[in-house]
Amino acid sequence: MAKKKELCQNKKGLFVRNLGWRKTQNGFSQKKFYLGREEPQAKIASLKLEQLWDAVCRRWEAATLPIPQLSSKPSLRHSITTETISTPNGPLTTLNSIGVGELEFERPGKPVWDEVSLTIAEAIRNGEATVRIPLPSQVGQSGLVSPSIGQRLDQLRRDIPFIHIELLDEELQCEAESEIKTEGNKLIKRGRRMIFQGAGGETLYHALDEYIKALESKHVNLDGTVNPTGTAQVRQALFLKECLQDCLLEDLDTPRILAYQETLALRPPGKRVKRIAVRTARNYIKQFRHFIRWLSTAPGSSWKRPSDLEFTSIRIPETVQEKATTARSSRVQTYSYDEIQLLWEYASPLKRLLLLMGLNCGFDAKMIATLQPEDIHLNQEHPSAREIRYQSTENDSWIFRLRNKTSVYGEWKLWPITVSAIEWWHKQRAQIEIDEDVSAFLVNQKGRAYDTPTAGNDRNMQIPNLWRGLTDKICKDEAHSTFRKLSFGKLRKTAGNLIRVESGGEIAGVFLCHGTPVKSDDLLDFYTNRPFAKVFEAIDLVGHRLSTIWSSIEIPFPEQRKRGGSNISRSKILRIKSMRRQGFKLDHIAETLGVTKQTVSRHSQKS
């Protein structure tokens, strides 16, 4: 229909396309479009103009009713009667013919370019992505009630989807967009209501119950029981059910989801606290977002994530005191040399073993709890010393293992003091009745591994609690009441920091068994071995710097376990010994330190 498939190029080098018709005083004339001198751009514009002309034709056919016309001569006994009937769209006239020739329905005239379509064509010719048009005079089928501005614009966009269309009048454009958005939301709500009515009216609480079942089936041990990670996530989901108000899933739209997220960000009260911690609130928000993603793809769920929902970073308010605390601890918290000295002096042999595992190998509580006897190799040369170019002797000792969290392989050279601690524990372990299913190197006095879940299926906290007991013991001493109560995990950070100071970030990443120690090359581990020789050298340097601390205790791992303990602090015991060496009498020492004469005499004899 007035469409020439090929581009033409005139004498001036311009590409020309004759397409469609224009209404003139003498009838109709073909419309000529000049598409520039660049052939690729001209071809693209030509194809888009073809699509536009097809849309103009379809709109003309929808807006123009066909008129019946005879295609053959009627018989001598023909008759035609008319009948007018009323319809919701207005009166309709019908023709009843007898003996009349065949009828054909033809639309009068032909489709033509109008002001709106020519404006769009001009934008296409110029390569524009958006076009602003005057208000169209007619949109839609003939006989319908006159559409509103928003309906006209929406219909035009549906008919011509390959270019963004806006109204020239900005006020009318805002009015139309508002109407389109309102009508669209109505359709969305109507569709959701129809879906959820068929699904029986699902609720948020019911969906959370199903989500909890999904978590319990996902996070399981080899025997099928829920592991501690699953228990923790289930507890978070139950908290969501407690603090969020129930609603029908059909009402779970973007504003309500964001409102729920704000509720969690405001840190609602917990079971034991008036306001949950910032980190806890962040974990709950993360769990809630995971629930929303799961709900949209869960089997049997009719709820779908709203198309306009975007999860962005959210601010969690803090008190002035919390902000001040955060500012003071903005750097990575690690132990100083003096603090390591106090930890070593006040620790029991078992806690000294934990201290050495944390500093020598960078192990956290989980890595210590899952260490196997087969991972430890004492008094032997490194099996690949020549390949890694490291001078090793049969007096060296090692740990070779995978880190459970990242499944990254690691190797550590053990200090002599660490070897002494391991040999001491071998003797202690032989005296403990260990359960048959326990293979861990470190076990408690009941013969169970330190990562065995609790009766409530929570994470085992025995190693962190042992460490907390050590720091509490130091703080009870008046001379060290300001000692920082850092968690056991800070030992791993301290070790990583000491290694980094000696050999740089890459070696520290290998020492800590990070997945990609070289952030700029995540494929390096697929083609090369990790530089463990440099790790061993860094461990030796750190061990040398800490050696004076280990030598401060004459027998750090005694053969016989000492029963009971002093009823005075270690600092007072040291002061008693110091004053006695200086020649002070027992009465003076007892009066100065506030202890009995017998206590001074007993600890003086031990010196």
Side-chain angles (χ1 to χ4, degrees):
M1 190 179 286
K3 186 188 298 183
K4 191 173 182 179
K5 291 294 184 181
E6 297 180 358
L7 281 172
C8 299
Q9 195 171 18
N10 61 17
K11 294 180 180 180
K12 296 181 179 181
L14 292 173
F15 286 95
V16 182
R17 180 66 190 272
N18 297 319
L19 184 64
W21 302 97
R22 290 195 68 179
K23 183 72 174 175
T24 64
Q25 293 180 353
N26 300 325
F28 299 93
S29 65
Q30 236 181 354
K31 174 64 179 171
K32 183 176 291 187
F33 294 96
Y34 293 93
L35 306 179
R37 290 183 169 83
E38 299 294 333
E39 185 175 5
Q41 289 82 349
K43 287 184 177 180
I44 293 174
S46 177
L47 291 174
K48 288 188 176 181
L49 287 174
E50 284 185 17
Q51 292 177 311
L52 177 60
W53 177 247
D54 289 340
V56 170
C57 294
R58 289 194 300 269
R59 288 166 60 81
W60 173 78
E61 291 175 357
T64 307
L65 287 176
I67 298 176
Q69 295 181 355
L70 291 174
S71 61
S72 62
K73 294 182 179 180
S75 66
L76 297 175
R77 298 180 179 180
H78 76 277
S79 64
I80 299 177
T81 61
T82 62
E83 181 181 359
T84 302
I85 60 175
S86 60
T87 67
N89 297 325
L92 182 65
T93 302
T94 63
L95 295 175
N96 301 316
S97 63
I98 300 175
V100 179
E102 294 182 3
L103 292 176
E104 287 185 355
F105 291 85
E106 295 183 0
R107 293 178 174 84
K110 60 177 64 177
V112 294
W113 294 103
D114 59 9
E115 182 182 9
V116 172
S117 56
L118 282 176
T119 303
I120 299 174
E122 184 66 16
I124 292 175
R125 193 179 71 84
N126 295 328
E128 298 173 1
T130 302
V131 58
R132 301 183 70 89
I133 62 169
L135 184 66
S137 58
Q138 292 182 350
V139 176
Q141 296 182 358
S142 175
L144 295 179
V145 178
S146 178
S148 65
I149 296 175
Q151 290 173 332
R152 292 185 177 190
L153 181 59
D154 179 60
Q155 180 66 47
L156 192 60
R157 286 174 172 176
R158 283 185 287 160
D159 292 340
I160 308 173
F162 44 87
I163 188 171
H164 181 65
I165 302 174
E166 294 181 354
L167 297 179
L168 189 59
D169 190 311
E170 294 185 1
E171 185 176 348
L172 293 177
Q173 171 65 24
C174 294
E175 180 182 343
E177 290 289 1
S178 177
E179 181 183 352
I180 291 173
K181 185 176 181 180
T182 301
E183 290 299 321
N185 289 331
K186 288 182 180 179
L187 290 174
I188 291 173
K189 290 182 179 180
R190 181 181 177 186
R192 286 180 177 174
R193 189 175 296 108
M194 294 171 66
I195 293 173
F196 285 110
Q197 283 175 349
E202 297 170 316
T203 64
L204 176 66
Y205 284 3
H206 178 266
L208 281 170
D209 291 337
E210 294 300 318
Y211 178 61
I212 289 173
K213 293 179 182 179
L215 291 175
E216 291 175 340
S217 62
K218 177 182 178 181
H219 301 283
V220 294
N221 298 310
L222 294 177
D223 57 359
T225 58
V226 181
N227 59 29
T229 300
T231 301
Q233 296 207 20
V234 167
R235 189 182 296 112
Q236 291 178 358
L238 289 173
F239 181 84
L240 297 179
K241 191 174 178 181
E242 291 176 2
C243 69
L244 300 181
Q245 187 177 2
D246 195 14
C247 71
L248 293 174
L249 288 187
E250 64 178 281
D251 297 328
L252 189 62
D253 52 9
T254 297
R256 187 179 289 269
I257 292 173
L258 296 180
Y260 283 155
Q261 189 175 246
E262 287 295 333
T263 299
L264 296 172
L266 292 176
R267 302 164 59 186
K271 291 184 177 180
R272 301 186 183 94
V273 293
K274 294 182 179 180
R275 184 187 297 111
I276 60 176
V278 174
R279 183 176 180 180
T280 305
R282 189 174 292 112
N283 289 336
Y284 285 143
I285 292 173
K286 181 179 179 181
Q287 191 66 246
F288 175 69
R289 291 179 175 181
H290 189 276
F291 162 71
I292 292 297
R293 297 187 187 98
W294 170 87
L295 182 59
S296 184
T297 58
S301 174
S302 55
W303 185 87
K304 297 302 176 185
R305 173 173 172 164
S307 58
D308 60 342
L309 176 62
E310 290 291 340
F311 286 127
T312 58
S313 59
I314 184 170
R315 177 180 175 274
I316 301 176
E318 298 178 84
T319 63
V320 176
Q321 293 80 3
E322 290 170 337
K323 290 181 179 179
T325 303
T326 303
R328 289 193 297 269
S329 59
S330 58
R331 298 181 61 185
V332 176
Q333 291 182 310
T334 58
Y335 285 108
S336 65
Y337 281 93
D338 292 337
E339 288 172 328
I340 296 174
Q341 176 76 52
L342 287 175
L343 290 168
W344 180 254
E345 292 178 356
Y346 279 76
S348 64
L350 176 60
K351 294 174 184 177
R352 287 174 183 152
L353 172 60
L354 299 178
L355 174 66
L356 289 169
M357 286 291 183
L359 293 177
N360 193 163
C361 307
F363 287 178
D364 55 18
K366 184 67 175 180
M367 296 180 72
I368 292 176
T370 55
L371 181 65
Q372 303 295 308
E374 296 79 11
D375 298 333
I376 303 172
H377 307 273
L378 301 181
N379 302 318
Q380 56 183 273
E381 185 180 352
H382 191 284
S384 304
R386 180 177 298 178
E387 288 79 1
I388 65 175
R389 296 184 179 181
Y390 182 76
Q391 293 183 356
S392 177
T393 68
E394 59 182 12
N395 296 324
D396 295 333
S397 299
W398 319 88
I399 288 182
F400 306 145
R401 62 169 299 184
L402 292 176
R403 185 187 176 200
N404 296 62
K405 182 177 181 179
T406 58
S407 296
V408 173
Y409 176 74
E411 296 183 3
W412 298 268
K413 183 179 180 181
L414 301 180
W415 298 324
I417 189 65
T418 308
V419 175
S420 300
I422 291 175
E423 291 174 342
W424 168 84
W425 176 248
H426 271 300
K427 298 176 182 178
Q428 301 297 319
R429 192 175 187 272
Q431 302 174 14
I432 301 174
E433 185 177 351
I434 302 174
D435 294 346
E436 295 182 358
D437 59 341
V438 174
S439 60
F441 176 63
L442 278 174
V443 294
N444 58 21
Q445 293 301 315
K446 295 182 179 180
R448 299 174 184 172
Y450 279 107
D451 64 339
T452 304
T454 64
N457 203 29
D458 291 319
R459 184 167 67 97
N460 193 308
M461 296 294 291
Q462 290 185 75
I463 291 179
N465 289 340
L466 284 171
W467 194 254
R468 187 179 299 110
L470 174 58
T471 56
D472 289 343
K473 179 181 178 181
I474 297 175
C475 290
K476 288 180 180 179
D477 193 333
E478 297 177 357
H480 310 295
S481 58
T482 59
F483 186 84
R484 292 186 301 164
K485 294 185 177 181
L486 301 181
S487 65
F488 184 77
K490 299 302 184 292
L491 276 181
R492 173 174 167 82
K493 294 184 177 181
T494 302
N497 190 63
L498 293 173
I499 295 294
R500 185 175 186 178
V501 169
E502 297 294 344
S503 299
E506 179 187 354
I507 303 305
V510 177
F511 172 80
L512 295 172
C513 280
H514 286 172
T516 53
V518 182
K519 299 299 181 183
S520 60
D521 190 354
D522 54 357
L523 298 177
L524 186 63
D525 284 344
F526 291 98
Y527 295 93
T528 62
N529 292 318
R530 294 194 165 198
F532 289 116
K534 294 183 179 180
V535 175
F536 303 153
E537 292 171 359
I539 291 175
D540 286 337
L541 291 173
V542 173
H544 177 71
R545 292 184 183 278
L546 298 176
S547 59
T548 56
I549 295 177
W550 316 141
S551 60
S552 63
I553 301 297
E554 185 177 355
I555 306 177
F557 301 101
E559 294 291 335
Q560 297 295 328
R561 184 179 179 184
K562 183 180 178 181
R563 300 293 180 180
S566 303
N567 56 1
I568 60 174
S569 65
R570 178 176 177 80
S571 61
K572 282 190 177 182
I573 296 175
L574 294 177
R575 289 192 64 186
I576 290 173
K577 295 180 179 180
S578 176
M579 293 179 74
R580 283 296 292 166
R581 285 194 295 269
Q582 296 176 36
F584 289 100
K585 295 184 178 180
L586 299 181
D587 293 336
H588 175 75
I589 297 174
E591 182 179 356
T592 302
L593 301 181
V595 297
T596 63
K597 183 177 178 180
Q598 290 77 11
T599 301
V600 175
S601 176
R602 182 171 64 253
H603 288 289
S604 299
Q605 294 173 1
K606 293 181 180 180
S607 60

